[in-house]
Amino acid sequence: MAVLLRTTSCAAATTAGSSSTLLATTFRRDRRLLPSRASPARRAFTTRASAEPLEVCAKASITVPDRLGDCPFTQRVLLTIEEKNLPYELKLVDLANKPDWLFTINPEGKVPIVKLEDKWVADSDVITQVLEEKYPQPSLATPPEKASIGSKIFSTFIGFLKSKDTNDGTEQTLLSELTSFDSYLKDNGPFINGGTISAADLSLAPKLYHMEIALGHYKNWSVPDALAHVKTYMKTIFSMDSFVNTRGLPEDVIAGWRSKVMG
């Protein structure tokens, strides 16, 4: 049985001209009641769970203190770490008041950032690739020919969200992408790589979560019931423990997209 152990602590980060406080939350997974003849996969899991946790800098919530924020790219990284059963320490950063130390480890001042082998690595594409190479089991690799499935949904969602003209075709463009994805899942699902979840799902799912929350709030819109395979896909992934552990609060998602809607 997998047990999630969570401890929370606060640490002060002080620089030459200013001081800031970051919240460090350590998530660890452990195995309890293991059979005496554990499988190789379970032995590997136990070994990794006792290892030094990865350090991950992530966006802090803008609505609730000491909570993870709403960034879909950060969630992609955290999902990858969780699905690979790796312990990690989460350092929440107030992006409206970025501390000086953030620019020291990443001159662009962006998150997510993960410390891997004493080196801070930025960009979710790069981070997830490095994690796959460094921790190949369980594999989350997506075959190249499937890696771009559903990749246009996020940009078409943003186009529809920003649109102020109901006749400009942005809703139909999004529906076309979702319909194409629904057809793919019908023939190849339940996940992008068939029966097993992969990196492509962990990239797409946080974006679908943002789409559901933002369009539901700002446009009273939801995925049509006719796209049953997409709806099942979203429901399945959104209910995964790893997804629940790493998602932003709905109110953060709504607040995060407000400027796009009002701009």
Side-chain angles (χ1 to χ4, degrees), residues 88-153:
Y88 60 100
E89 181 179 273
L90 192 58
K91 302 179 187 300
L92 302 180
V93 182
D94 179 0
L95 295 185
N97 184 29
K98 296 179 182 180
D100 291 344
W101 59 260
L102 179 62
F103 293 95
T104 301
I105 62 177
N106 182 10
E108 293 186 356
K110 295 180 179 180
V111 294
I113 324 171
V114 177
K115 193 174 186 180
L116 293 165
E117 297 182 344
D118 296 323
K119 179 181 178 181
W120 287 99
V121 180
D123 189 289
S124 61
D125 286 339
V126 177
I127 294 169
T128 52
Q129 181 179 345
V130 172
L131 288 171
E132 185 63 35
E133 292 171 353
K134 183 172 175 59
Y135 306 101
Q137 298 299 326
S139 176
L140 295 173
T142 307
E145 66 273 14
K146 298 180 180 180
S148 64
I149 299 297
S151 62
K152 295 181 180 179
I153 293 174

Side-chain angles (χ1 to χ4, degrees), residues 15-36:
T15 59
S18 63
S19 64
S20 60
T21 300
L22 59 85
L23 178 76
T25 304
T26 303
F27 296 86
R28 294 177 183 269
R29 289 192 182 280
D30 197 0
R31 283 286 185 183
R32 303 295 175 87
L33 306 177
L34 279 177
S36 58

Side-chain angles (χ1 to χ4, degrees), residues 146 179-192 194 229:
K146 298 180 180 180
T179 299
S180 177
F181 186 48
D182 190 82
S183 297
Y184 176 86
L185 291 175
K186 179 181 178 180
D187 296 335
N188 302 280
F191 302 110
I192 290 176
H229 296 89

